[in-house]
Amino acid sequence: FLSQTPWLWNTRQCWNGYPYQSLMPDLHYYYIVELSFYWSLMFSQFIDIKRKDFGIMFTHHIVTVTLITFSYVTNLTRVGTLTLCLHDAADVVLEAAKMANYCKCQKVSDLLFLTFAIVFIVSRLGIYPLWILNTTLFELYEALGNFPALWVFNVLLVILQILHCFWSYLIIKAAYKAVSKGKVAKDDRSDIESSSDEEETVPCSKTPHSTISTNGTGGANGTNGYLTGGTCSEEH
């Protein structure tokens, strides 16, 4: 859809004819799908594994849903599609890294994670401020002057950039560990899950016990449906 639009290649086209820009069906459905996805993330976060950046991730979901809704209502949808597409680029690689980790393909998972780290940092710390923030902070003001929606929109976009900086710091730490130790040893970002690490940190009793478990509920030694067996030493 975006490859056929003029504003992908020239961001000044986002403001030509604003606010009287027609809402194309493809753009409308793109927004509906993205809004539905982020609403689902907001609710599923409460039943997922709770991580140390729960509050920050929840803030991100609130800001994102508000941005999508606000840009749709004020017809700032052209630049909105660019922002959505840019954010989705890194998420595709991240989900692939997760799946490789769940399949116990550690080398593939590490490679995909390092790829994700590069894509995330380039897109969120490079392209986002130079492409998205540049057009909303400067080109939009030059084209249309000052109006209230401009300030609300830009404040939300700047909050996103602050979150990008925080997550980039955590991702760089995890990437350094992946290179130095040969695996992503710790979950430094809420979306970087490691099922193998979770299994290793399950508390074990001081005496041998049965390995029988059903969906992680058949005994103290079952986690997420996996069977963790054998005798756990007192030291472990």
Side-chain angles (χ1 to χ4, degrees):
F1 164 68
L2 284 176
S3 66
Q4 301 173 7
T5 62
W7 61 84
L8 176 65
W9 316 109
N10 181 9
T11 53
R12 292 185 180 274
Q13 291 291 329
C14 292
W15 321 118
N16 284 351
Y18 181 84
Y20 305 105
Q21 298 171 342
S22 59
L23 181 63
M24 293 176 284
D26 290 343
L27 190 152
H28 167 75
Y29 289 119
Y30 186 17
Y31 254 73
I32 293 299
V33 170
E34 291 282 354
L35 182 60
S36 303
F37 172 69
Y38 281 105
W39 268 114
S40 71
L41 287 182
M42 187 181 300
F43 289 110
S44 64
Q45 187 179 14
F46 291 96
I47 59 176
D48 198 0
I49 299 171
K50 191 170 184 179
R51 303 190 183 280
K52 60 184 179 182
D53 66 344
F54 175 88
I56 296 174
M57 183 62 73
F58 186 70
T59 301
H60 172 267
H61 296 334
I62 291 290
V63 172
T64 303
V65 169
T66 304
L67 260 174
I68 295 175
T69 305
F70 183 79
S71 62
Y72 188 89
V73 171
T74 57
N75 209 25
L76 294 166
T77 51
R78 292 187 176 184
V79 72
T81 56
L82 298 181
T83 306
L84 291 170
C85 186
L86 184 64
H87 281 71
D88 289 342
D91 290 341
V92 173
V93 188
L94 175 60
E95 299 303 327
K98 285 184 185 180
M99 290 189 288
N101 186 47
Y102 295 150
C103 294
K104 309 299 181 184
C105 300
Q106 191 62 49
K107 291 184 179 180
V108 176
S109 177
D110 291 345
L111 179 61
L112 287 171
F113 173 74
L114 292 176
T115 304
F116 158 74
I118 294 171
V119 174
F120 186 95
I121 293 171
V122 170
S123 61
R124 307 292 177 92
L125 299 187
I127 300 176
Y128 180 80
L130 296 177
W131 193 38
I132 302 298
L133 292 183
N134 176 66
T135 190
T136 58
L137 287 172
F138 303 108
E139 295 177 352
L140 174 57
Y141 184 81
E142 291 175 6
L144 301 172
N146 190 14
F147 58 101
L150 179 148
W151 292 102
V152 176
F153 193 55
N154 279 307
V155 166
L156 293 171
L157 290 174
V158 170
I159 292 175
L160 271 187
Q161 181 60 49
I162 294 172
L163 295 176
H164 294 164
C165 294
F166 171 76
W167 278 318
S168 294
Y169 166 72
L170 296 182
I171 290 170
I172 290 172
K173 284 178 60 179
Y176 174 77
K177 291 178 182 178
V179 173
S180 60
K181 298 183 180 180
K183 66 175 291 187
V184 182
K186 186 178 179 182
D187 183 359
D188 282 328
R189 181 177 181 264
S190 67
D191 273 350
I192 303 167
E193 300 176 2
S194 179
S195 59
S196 58
D197 289 343
E198 289 165 7
E199 291 169 25
E200 291 171 1
T201 57
V202 176
C204 296
S205 64
K206 297 182 180 180
T207 58
H209 49 312
S210 173
T211 63
I212 299 174
S213 174
T214 304
N215 293 330
T217 60
N221 204 31
T223 305
N224 294 334
Y226 291 101
L227 299 181
T228 57
T231 303
C232 297
S233 65
E234 185 171 346
E235 180 182 357
H236 182 268

